[in-house]
Amino acid sequence: MDETYDVIVLGTGLKECILSGLLSVDGLKVLHMDRNDYYGGESTSLNLVQYMMANGSLVRILIHTNVTKYLNFKAVDGSFVYKKKKIYKVPATDAEALKSPLMGLFEKRRARKFFIYVQDYDENDPKSHEKLDLNTVTVRKLISKYGLEDDTVDFIGHALALHNDDSYLDQPALSFVKRMKLYAESLARFRGGSPYIYPLYGLGELPQAFARLSAVYGGTYMLNKPECKVEFDGDGKVVGVTSEGETAKCHKVVCDPSYLPDKVKKVGKVARAVCIMSHPIPDTNDSHSVQVILPQKQLGRKSDMYLFCCSYAHNVAPKGKYIAFVSAEAETDNPEQELKPGVDLLGTVDEIFYDTYDRYVPTNDHGVDNCFISASYDSTTHFETTVIDVMEMYTKITGKNLDLSVDLSAASAAEEEA
C-alpha cells in the first residue's frame, strides 16, 4: 500500500464509526480497519444498551451528517425513577410535577416553582436569571433557594439531568439547568412518555450507518484484518498500521483502547445483567420500552444503576419477548449481588446472563504520537457521555469544533415513519 492516509481508524465501535464518518465528510482520506469480521467493536457487546435523547448531541450529529436517511427511530415509551424500592414515572414539567406521587403536596408546589424557573431560563436574557449567575452559583445553592427535599433533588439530578453520581451538586449550575432543559425539550418533541428515541433493529444499526456515510465520502473499509499493529518512527510518532505483512501509511491513528493497550489505563469496571423476559417490567404501564434510573443514594452506592428494557416493538426480539439490561459501575466483585436491586424490579425472568468489562482511558500525549484513543463506554444507558468523548476527539484531531446547530425537525420524518 503506497498511498498515505490522513487517518487510519482501528475498530468499528460507535465512537470510531462516528469519527470516521465526520472526518470523511471533512474531506480527509480515511482507512478504517477492524480485527473482527463484523461492525461494532466494543459497542456490539453494548448492543441494545443505550438510548438517545431526542434533542441530544447524537441526534444532532445524525442530522449534521445526514445519517438519518439510513436509520428509522421510534420513541421510547417510558422514563422512570427508583425511590424506596418502587418505581415512578419521571415528571419533567411543572404540570407533571403537580400530579406526581413522588412528592407530597407542599413539595409539589416547590418543585413546580423550580421547574418554571428552569423552563423560563434563557442564557441570553438576564431577566430570566433571577439575579443568579449560573456560571458561579452551584447546583446545591440553586436548589436550596427553592427548598427542595433530598429525594426530589435525587430524581431531578439523576433522572432528569442524567448525572450518574452526586458530584454535580458542587459544580456551577449552568450545565445542570441545560441538561434539565434538554430533557424537557426532548420530551416535548414526541409528546410521549419519555425523551428518548431508539433505532429500529437495535443500536447495531448506528455504527453501520456511519460506516456507510464514510464510504459515500471515499472512506475505505477493511474488516477481518488480524493483528493490526500500529507502527511508530524513532520520535514515537505514528507512521502507519501493519496487518498481514502489509503496512498502510498514515499521519494519524484513531482507535479504541484495545488496539494500543500500552497507552491506556484501567479506571473502573462495568457490571451488567442481560435478561430475557416474556412480559414488560411491572409498574411501567405495560411499556414496551423503558428506562429506569436508580439513583446512587437510594441504593447506598457511589454511582447510579441503570435499567433499560426494549422488545419486539423495536424489532430487537421475537414477538412477545422483552430484553432488559441492568448496568452499573462495579463497586464490588460480585455482579449478581450488586445488580440485585435492578434485577428485582423485573418480575419473572426467562434467562439471565451476567458480565463485567473493564473501563480504560487514554494516557498518551496525542501531540507527541498522533494517536487519538477513545475512552471505554461507561454504565450510562443514554448517549450524552459517548458523544462528549467523540466531540472532544474530533477537536483534537482536526483543531476545530463540531458545529451541531442543526434543524432538529430534519429527523422527525424518519421518526414518524417508524
Side-chain angles (χ1 to χ4, degrees), residues 91-106:
T93 63
D94 56 311
E96 285 191 348
L98 282 177
K99 290 187 293 203
S100 174
L102 272 168
M103 299 169 283
L105 180 64
F106 296 112

Side-chain angles (χ1 to χ4, degrees), residues 395-415:
T395 301
K396 287 172 187 167
I397 295 162
T398 63
K400 56 189 186 183
N401 289 323
L402 189 57
D403 177 14
L404 292 181
S405 51
V406 293
D407 174 12
L408 282 160
S409 62
S412 58
E415 287 146 11

Side-chain angles (χ1 to χ4, degrees), residues 8-189:
I8 294 181
V9 181
L10 300 175
T12 50
L14 179 62
K15 292 181 184 182
E16 288 71 37
C17 285
I18 295 176
L19 284 164
S20 174
L22 291 171
L23 298 171
S24 299
V25 170
D26 275 357
L28 296 181
K29 191 170 185 182
V30 176
L31 170 63
H32 202 147
M33 301 162 76
D34 194 316
R35 63 170 81 89
N36 300 312
D37 59 0
Y38 53 85
Y39 285 100
E42 291 298 303
S43 55
T44 46
S45 59
L46 269 178
N47 217 342
L48 311 163
V49 187
Q50 292 190 326
Y51 290 134
M52 57 195 89
M53 301 287 277
N55 277 20
S57 321
L58 183 56
V59 170
R60 289 173 184 273
I61 286 181
L62 293 172
I63 296 166
H64 172 80
T65 54
N66 214 10
V67 165
T68 41
K69 67 186 176 197
Y70 303 127
L71 293 162
N72 277 323
F73 293 100
K74 193 168 177 170
V76 169
D77 297 336
S79 174
F80 294 81
V81 66
Y82 177 88
K83 178 189 170 187
K84 300 192 170 129
K85 304 206 168 167
K86 288 175 73 176
I87 49 182
Y88 299 87
K89 185 179 185 308
V90 175
T93 63
D94 56 311
E96 285 191 348
L98 282 177
K99 290 187 293 203
S100 174
L102 272 168
M103 299 169 283
L105 180 64
F106 296 112
E107 181 68 356
K108 281 178 180 173
R109 291 179 187 165
R110 290 188 286 267
R112 180 172 180 268
K113 279 187 186 155
F114 179 62
F115 277 128
I116 289 171
Y117 165 75
V118 170
Q119 280 157 241
D120 292 346
Y121 183 87
D122 177 349
E123 211 175 338
N124 303 313
D125 176 10
K127 282 206 289 292
S128 72
H129 296 185
E130 295 190 4
K131 301 195 173 75
L132 294 170
D133 178 1
L134 297 193
N135 289 302
T136 53
V137 170
T138 64
V139 176
R140 200 183 292 279
K141 187 142 186 228
L142 173 65
I143 282 170
S144 70
K145 180 172 186 267
Y146 289 87
L148 299 178
E149 292 168 4
D150 281 356
D151 281 345
T152 307
V153 175
D154 229 15
F155 86 73
I156 289 174
H158 294 261
L160 288 174
L162 302 180
H163 290 286
N164 60 355
D165 60 34
D166 279 343
S167 57
Y168 75 94
L169 287 167
D170 297 308
Q171 290 163 0
L174 183 60
S175 163
F176 166 76
V177 167
K178 281 182 170 173
R179 281 167 169 241
M180 282 188 68
K181 287 177 84 68
L182 169 62
Y183 188 102
E185 286 158 9
S186 297
L187 187 73
R189 178 92 177 276

Side-chain angles (χ1 to χ4, degrees), residues 66 71 101 105 161 210 254 284 295 332 374:
N66 214 10
L71 293 162
L105 180 64
F210 281 101
V254 172
T284 61
T332 70
S374 61

Side-chain angles (χ1 to χ4, degrees), residues 244-265:
E244 296 176 313
E246 281 190 290
T247 301
K249 297 196 206 98
C250 66
H251 301 301
K252 293 174 179 172
V253 159
V254 172
C255 65
D256 71 45
S258 69
Y259 285 88
L260 285 171
D262 56 340
K263 291 181 181 281
V264 297
K265 68 174 180 187

